[in-house]
Structures are given as structure tokens and as C-alpha cells.
Amino acid sequence: MEIPYTVKPRPDTGLYNAKIGIWLFLASEVMLFGALFSSYILLRVGAPDGFWPDVPTAWPHGLLNVPLGTFNTAVLITSSMTVMMAWTALKENNFAKFRKFMTVTLLCAVLFLCIKGYEYNDKFTHYVIRLKDGSALTGHLEINGSSPRFWTEDTLAAKKLESVEVLQDIPTVLRYPSGFKHEEVAHEPGEHHIKREIKTADIQSLRPFVPATGTFFAIYFTMTFLHALHIIGGVLVMGYMTFVGGGMWKTEPERYTNRIESVGLFWHFVDLVWIFLFPVMYLL
Amino acid sequence: MSLKTFHIVFITVCVLLLLFLSGWAFSNSRQGGGILDAVWGSLALATAVALAVYGQRFLKRLKHISFL
């Protein structure tokens, strides 16, 4: 039995079924990401005054790598253009050209994930260190030439280290009994870190930049990881449609073209979410 | 809404984002960010213009495809 309206539009909706289906799915996705964006705004507006990391729930600024974020944005914009060109190639009955553009799209998606992975790794090796004198600073730990991930003060105690080397971020925020202030650390122009040795006995707490460390990291990882999951989903579907399911082009070309249109709609939505995530998380 | 229409919406949003990014970078440059921020802003502005031109050419090329 033939499935109706896979190619021709239904008379009542004017659309073929897959298009209705994908738009209903995207509507539910808008609600999901809409709720998360609303949460982000409410958390940020409700964040207390004061400098992060002295006030753990205060909103930190400048923690994300803007050049990398911008590059990733460019990668996703390019992927949207190539998925569009792939669909156009099918409309022009050029399957070879379609495959070429889809391959570029897939490569862009994988590149995006690799860069996101690099950014995540940088956060996992980045720490907020609170000292017993009441001050707090941020930076990367350097132990035997490598940057350890997910360490806490318990790890320091377990490893029985007397002191740790820290690549302290510039500018640094310190808290004093008289109030908060930015500490001006002497450094060369263009330098973003200075090396400093801290005795383990002086450390009150050591926390990596993970969701449990603060509200900002919780919402940042939730939103970007959910987005990354969508990218992975898109890669799997696009990869299948291009290389495994491509045989349908020979038997039912119109239906195949419609499927690619649905995939393209999903991909554009995922990219559009990033277009909003980027300025909200990285720039504002 | 067809992929063609969604692509036009997407490109429009991207152009707006790039204009914002350009303004953000120029503003940083004026507040002591230096030449790098100015270059950044100029690049974003140039890309915004390039994307707008692409969008227009794309629309002309796909005249025969429905917006629905």
C-alpha cells in the first residue's frame, strides 16, 4: 500500500506530510529552547551584585572565548548555506553535486563539535580558587606540565601536594574585608595569565568550571550541550540520508528531495538556535 | 514554510547578528580595545554585506521554488 501525501501536498494543508511533521517537531523544539532562554534571562536578571568569583552566584563576564565562538558561528552559517545548496542541487537533478555539498555540511558540523569539545575541555581545566585569607582568583592549574581536569580541594589532599602552580587570569578579582575590588596584577601588554605558586594549605576550596560551580556554568552547559546533542542528531540523520539512504534517489527522487528538505529545515533550526546562543552567552 | 523561506529568514537573522557583532567590536575598540577590535568590527560588517548580497542572489536563483 502506498503511503499518501509523501510527495504531493494534502489538499487541506497544502503541504506534504513530512513538512507538517517536521514543523510540528520544530514547534516543540521552540518551546524547549524558549523555556531555557527564558530561564537564562531570569537567572541573569536575578543574579546578585558583586564580582564573580567572590560572589559565586554573581554573573561572570568574559569567561568564554569570543574568537572561537565567532569562528563556530561562521562554521554553522556556512553549513546552512551548503545544506541549502545540496537541496537546490537535488531540485536540479544533480545528485553528485548534492553529495558534495552534504559532505561539506557534515564536515562543518563535525568541526563545530570539535571546537565545542576544545572549549569544554578548557573549562574543565579552568578553576576558581578560594583562599583562606578571603580572596578568590581564577586560572588554570599546572601540574607536571599538564592541566588536570575536575580537581577539587579533596584531590589536592589525596595527592598530598604541598603547593600548586596556577596560571592566574588577568584581570583578577579579589575580595578584601573592606569590600570587592579588581586587583591590578603587573603584566606585559597582551599577557592574559601570570604564573603563581599557591601553597595547598592556603587553599580553602578548588572548583573547576563545571555546572555545579555556579548558576552561569549550569545554564551555559545545559544550553550548549543540548544544542550539541541536536548537532550530533543532525550529523547522524544527514550522514544516513546522504550515504546509506541515498538509494531512494533512484527509485523515488521527489520523495527523497522532500526528505532532504525536512532535514534542511531541522538543520536551519539548530543553526538558528546557535545564532541566538552566541550573542547571549559570549557577547552580552 | 519551505526550506527556501526558512533560509531567507536565517540569512536575515545572521545579517542582524553580524551587524550587532560589528557594533559590539567597534564599541570595544572605542573603549580602549585597540586595533584588533576595529578589524574585527570591519570584518563582521563586510561579512554582513556579503551575506545580504548572497541572500538577494539566492532569491533570484530560486524564483521557481515555492515559498510554502
Side-chain angles (χ1 to χ4, degrees), chain A residues 88 91-92, chain B residues 4 59-66:
Chain A
T88 310
K91 288 271 181 194
E92 291 164 354
Chain B
K4 173 186 167 180
L59 257 181
K60 270 185 196 165
R61 192 181 155 196
L62 295 186
K63 256 183 187 169
H64 58 287
I65 294 175
S66 155

Side-chain angles (χ1 to χ4, degrees), chain A residues 19 23 67 70 261 268 283, chain B residues 1 3 7 24 40 58 68:
Chain A
K19 199 182 270 185
W23 274 111
T70 310
E261 184 179 19
H268 271 68
L283 304 183
Chain B
M1 190 194 289
L3 183 55
H7 191 63
W24 178 85
W40 193 289
F58 163 83
L68 198 64

Side-chain angles (χ1 to χ4, degrees), chain A residues 65-67 70 192 278 282-283, chain B residues 18-46:
Chain A
N65 191 327
V66 177
T70 310
H192 297 295
F278 170 64
Y282 287 73
L283 304 183
Chain B
L18 283 163
L19 291 177
F20 173 75
L21 180 65
S22 164
W24 178 85
F26 281 130
S27 152
N28 273 2
S29 159
R30 256 185 267 119
Q31 288 166 10
I35 190 84
L36 254 177
D37 278 310
V39 172
W40 193 289
S42 310
L43 267 177
L45 196 63

Side-chain angles (χ1 to χ4, degrees), chain A residues 141-154:
Chain A
L141 290 189
E142 239 192 21
I143 311 289
N144 300 328
S146 67
S147 303
R149 295 182 198 93
F150 307 121
W151 277 25
T152 63
E153 62 277 9
D154 295 335

Side-chain angles (χ1 to χ4, degrees), chain A residues 140-144 163-167 195-198:
Chain A
H140 290 81
L141 290 189
E142 239 192 21
I143 311 289
N144 300 328
S163 63
V164 285
E165 273 196 343
V166 178
L167 286 174
K195 205 173 250 188
R196 171 179 176 177
E197 192 163 341
I198 300 176

Side-chain angles (χ1 to χ4, degrees), chain A residues 1-22 248 252 254-259 261-262:
Chain A
M1 192 184 88
E2 196 189 331
I3 303 169
Y5 308 119
T6 54
V7 174
K8 291 215 162 73
R10 268 176 77 111
D12 50 356
T13 62
L15 303 169
Y16 60 88
N17 282 349
K19 199 182 270 185
I20 289 280
I22 194 73
M248 186 189 257
E252 295 175 273
E254 272 187 274
R255 192 175 171 193
Y256 185 73
T257 308
N258 287 348
R259 282 189 170 186
E261 184 179 19
S262 301

Side-chain angles (χ1 to χ4, degrees), chain A residues 191-260:
Chain A
E191 202 176 28
H192 297 295
H193 301 98
I194 52 159
K195 205 173 250 188
R196 171 179 176 177
E197 192 163 341
I198 300 176
K199 284 187 179 158
T200 316
D202 294 338
I203 296 175
Q204 189 183 352
S205 73
L206 177 74
R207 294 280 181 276
F209 287 6
V210 292
T213 299
T215 317
F216 170 76
F217 293 110
I219 195 81
Y220 165 75
F221 279 107
T222 303
M223 292 182 82
T224 54
F225 187 68
L226 186 66
H227 178 260
L229 283 180
H230 280 74
I231 296 273
I232 293 168
V235 167
L236 292 176
V237 173
M238 286 191 296
Y240 178 83
M241 294 300 290
T242 308
F243 300 108
V244 184
M248 186 189 257
W249 172 251
K250 286 177 189 156
T251 52
E252 295 175 273
E254 272 187 274
R255 192 175 171 193
Y256 185 73
T257 308
N258 287 348
R259 282 189 170 186
I260 296 301

